[in-house]
Amino acid sequence: MNILAIETSCDDTGAAVVKDGREVLSNVVASQVPEHVLYGGVVPEIASRRHCESISGVVNKALSDAALSLNEIDAVAVTAYPGLIGALLVGVNFAKGLSYTHGLPLIPVHHLRSHVASNYISSPDLEPPFLALIVSGGHTHLVHVKDYTDYEVIGRTRDDAAGEAMDKAARMLGLPYPGGMNMDRVCANGDAKKYKFPNPHVDGSPFDFSFSGMKTAVINLVHNKEQKGEPIDLENVGASYMRQVVKVLCDRSEKAIALYRPQRFVIAGGVSANSVLRREMEALCNKYGVSFFKPELKYCGDNAAMVGAQGYYEYLNGNVADLKLNAIATMDIDMKMSK
Ligand code: KG4
Ligand code: ZN
């Protein structure tokens, strides 16, 4: 089954063709980073406009890279939630148009489920059940993936997402957008033990995360140095901060592994590209004899191939929408999709 997939939940315009949920025939991403970098973060209105301009060309390129015409496509999958509402609407409406004009089934896909599904592409033997740590710019979740479309949330952030915490700290340290990625690039070899950051626990919720205290700590540290006229020790502050974000992520994941005793553990989302997280999570899984899975770097950030992968399993489960489909800005990952 050939699925044409579309992703416009944030600032990347993506289209891909994926066969049977696992084989990527094409994957096109038009990045908007050069525009948003001027503002230090994503400007939603600009993101929506750029999606409108790019979507047609990106979809055409995905089809031509796959050497397929629309007549050889069996269904259209699209990220319908959660995300920036104006950005999502562009992809959803384009997908509805294709579905209507070509009589193709329309498959709405949850953005975080598609991040998890990036692992089905990178590890063709991976099958549920497994535990997953999903770390993106807007979400931080520990989930029990019981089946391809059956999710149970075990823990979640109570305030900022891990990616958001990285981005804000990076901005304070003077690094350009996208901050988390640049912090990894610039600070990965710094002295990660030089500065101490808090590891806040959420009372009564051992699997939940909180990052706002760490963010405040780095802001205070930078202000303090500025007031004293001292240079900001970028490489070492960044390395210490990353280490602490990863420590919090690993700490909660370890508790979940110890309780659930899964055979497999998966990381997903933009922050799963982080070099420290990839290394530390692998070590943790080795300690417990759990098989560890991570997406290839090219599938960590937002892309449409992962939407095509998850879309296939949503389709098999009967999750097909009609033309009343609308984009929704917030949606739980464990929702039961209405048919
Ligand atoms: O999943 P994603 O591409 O978009 C959302 O769904 O939010 O995640 C974007 C987040 C950003 O916060 C970005 O800074 C972070 O992923 N990120 C990283 C790295 N690469 C991307 N954070 C840490 N280390 C990286 N190498
Ligand atoms: Zn994402």
Side-chain angles (χ1 to χ4, degrees):
M1 177 180 194
N2 291 328
I3 293 184
L4 172 64
I6 295 174
E7 152 64 35
T8 63
S9 68
C10 191
D11 61 335
D12 292 306
T13 316
V17 180
V18 181
K19 187 175 175 192
D20 298 335
R22 300 273 176 168
E23 192 185 338
V24 179
L25 303 184
S26 65
N27 186 33
V28 181
V29 183
S31 166
Q32 302 176 1
V33 166
E35 281 201 68
H36 298 290
V37 79
L38 296 172
Y39 306 94
V42 177
V43 182
E45 287 78 4
I46 294 179
S48 316
R49 281 164 196 243
R50 294 299 163 264
H51 286 313
C52 288
E53 288 164 11
S54 316
I55 184 93
S56 191
V58 168
V59 168
N60 278 332
K61 179 150 177 28
L63 287 167
S64 67
D65 285 1
L68 293 175
S69 73
L70 267 171
N71 295 333
E72 294 161 290
I73 295 296
D74 301 302
V76 183
V78 62
T79 310
Y81 28 71
L84 299 174
I85 191 66
L88 286 168
L89 277 167
V90 178
V92 166
N93 283 314
F94 200 87
K96 281 162 73 170
L98 287 174
S99 164
Y100 178 65
T101 51
H102 289 78
L104 297 170
L106 177 64
I107 311 166
V109 177
H110 191 289
H111 182 62
L112 298 182
R113 289 188 183 191
S114 67
H115 269 302
V116 170
S118 61
N119 283 279
Y120 302 143
I121 301 167
S122 295
S123 301
D125 297 332
L126 174 66
E127 286 180 5
F130 51 78
L131 287 190
L133 173 70
I134 309 170
V135 271
S136 72
H139 297 86
T140 302
H141 279 12
L142 256 174
V143 294
H144 183 198
V145 182
K146 299 178 192 167
D147 207 340
Y148 290 105
T149 57
D150 187 4
Y151 278 65
E152 180 198 355
V153 177
I154 299 170
R156 64 174 78 223
T157 184
R158 293 298 185 99
D159 39 57
D160 296 332
E164 204 176 338
M166 296 261 200
D167 290 345
K168 296 256 172 70
R171 197 169 166 172
M172 281 307 294
L173 295 171
L175 289 166
Y177 168 82
M181 185 190 292
N182 285 317
M183 198 191 276
D184 194 8
R185 191 173 50 78
V186 173
C187 308
N189 296 322
D191 178 359
K193 294 192 178 150
K194 186 153 178 197
Y195 297 91
K196 297 274 171 279
F197 291 102
N199 179 359
H201 290 269
V202 182
D203 278 346
S205 302
F207 308 125
D208 280 357
F209 308 87
S210 167
F211 292 104
S212 64
M214 286 175 60
K215 208 177 63 186
T216 310
V218 81
I219 291 170
N220 289 341
L221 190 147
V222 170
H223 284 164
N224 201 279
K225 285 203 178 274
E226 279 171 356
Q227 278 160 5
K228 289 183 187 159
E230 292 175 5
I232 296 165
D233 186 8
L234 170 63
E235 206 180 331
N236 298 330
V237 174
S240 305
Y241 188 83
M242 267 197 303
R243 176 175 183 257
Q244 192 62 5
V245 170
V246 169
K247 189 172 181 318
V248 170
L249 295 171
C250 286
D251 179 84
R252 309 303 186 273
S253 301
E254 179 164 11
K255 288 196 174 83
I257 289 171
L259 184 70
Y260 284 81
R261 292 279 162 189
Q263 288 182 5
R264 294 169 282 273
F265 191 92
V266 163
I267 59 172
V271 184
S272 70
N274 185 262
S275 59
V276 185
L277 180 67
R278 289 166 92 88
R279 190 178 65 225
E280 295 298 320
M281 277 306 317
E282 181 148 28
L284 177 64
C285 287
N286 286 343
K287 179 174 154 193
Y288 283 86
V290 176
S291 303
F292 175 61
F293 296 87
K294 54 186 188 292
E296 291 157 84
L297 287 175
K298 64 180 171 186
Y299 296 127
C300 288
D302 292 343
N303 66 86
M306 66 186 192
V307 180
Q310 182 61 24
Y312 177 69
Y313 294 103
E314 298 291 348
Y315 179 81
L316 293 185
N317 195 45
N319 295 331
V320 176
D322 60 23
L323 293 176
K324 291 201 281 292
L325 177 67
N326 205 355
I328 304 173
T330 55
M331 175 69 77
D332 284 341
I333 195 172
D334 53 357
M335 63 178 258
K336 299 281 176 250
M337 299 273 189
S338 54
K339 290 185 184 168

